[in-house]
Amino acid sequence: MAGTESRTLIVLALVANSLIAVLKFVAAGISGSSAMLAEAFHSVADTGNQLFLLRGSAASRYRADASHPFGRGKEIYFWSFMVAVFLFVGGAVVALIEGWERFRHPEEPSDFLLNVAVLVAAGLFEIFIALIPAIREFNRRRGRRKIWATIRESKDPALLVILFEDIAATLGVMIAAAGVIITEVTGNGRWDGITSMAIGVLLAGVAWVLALETKSLLIGEGASRRDRASIRAATLAVPNVASLEALRTMQLGPNQ
């Protein structure tokens, strides 16, 4: 994905998550719902993550200098790894702790309609402002390749982070809505805590996947098979080159 398209997706996700976080905190403060509070922290973590990505995207375009003779393209990988850390600490851990406390000390459910209305609005924001544009861009990049192969071969962490975050955010809203409904129907406040812990587990899983994907790029991953084949073909096309015994490459940035 080109840098401009990456930044567009990041800004769209930033706007959506900022508005959603405000709505969720208001609803959580009025209703006292642990699940809603977990989702509010989830949106805050996502908002912080978009700021990390914007910083990484800007820094990765700095020109090479004496201190960084190959440029600073890998800085986007560092900030993408920080996204995984922040998502785990700022989202998953908080949701798990809050959910466990609410499970141990359940409270009576309240403001059911307010919680549902906020979650519906949040879901619409997530789907139409953030998720659908991210899926369209991912499919454009994917072409005819398989989904998992595209994820594994992608050298642009912004694509993976935004896509996984948006999917997790949409699933989180669905889990929170289910928890709010079950809590209202049963009158058992423990379901509120269980829902919060389920959101925490979801965020921890997403953070783990993102950490694994960005770690390989951060420590020095080779170019894709397609790029290596192009380099080999171009080298062997030089008249005085008879053979190419070993080809070593390293990805220095999404487009380097």
Side-chain angles (χ1 to χ4, degrees), residues 1 39 42-43 46 54 68 74 76 91 93 101 114 118-119 126 135 151 170 173 191 209 215 222 227 251:
M1 180 168 46
E39 270 298 290
H42 180 181
S43 295
D46 285 349
L54 286 175
H68 303 89
K74 281 192 174 185
I76 185 64
V93 173
E101 286 299 315
L114 173 64
V118 168
L119 288 172
E126 288 287 359
I135 291 176
I151 292 173
T170 303
V173 169
W191 280 106
V209 172
K215 184 198 76 169
D227 287 338
Q251 194 76 24

Side-chain angles (χ1 to χ4, degrees), residues 50-99:
Q50 270 89 62
L51 294 175
F52 283 160
L53 290 177
L54 286 175
R55 167 59 185 169
S57 177
S60 67
R61 297 193 303 275
Y62 291 165
R63 293 182 178 180
D65 54 27
S67 299
H68 303 89
F70 296 101
R72 294 173 59 178
K74 281 192 174 185
E75 188 148 350
I76 185 64
Y77 300 149
F78 167 77
W79 288 107
S80 297
F81 189 81
M82 290 302 297
V83 165
V85 173
F86 190 62
L87 190 63
F88 180 79
V89 176
V93 173
V94 171
L96 288 168
I97 293 174
E98 178 66 23

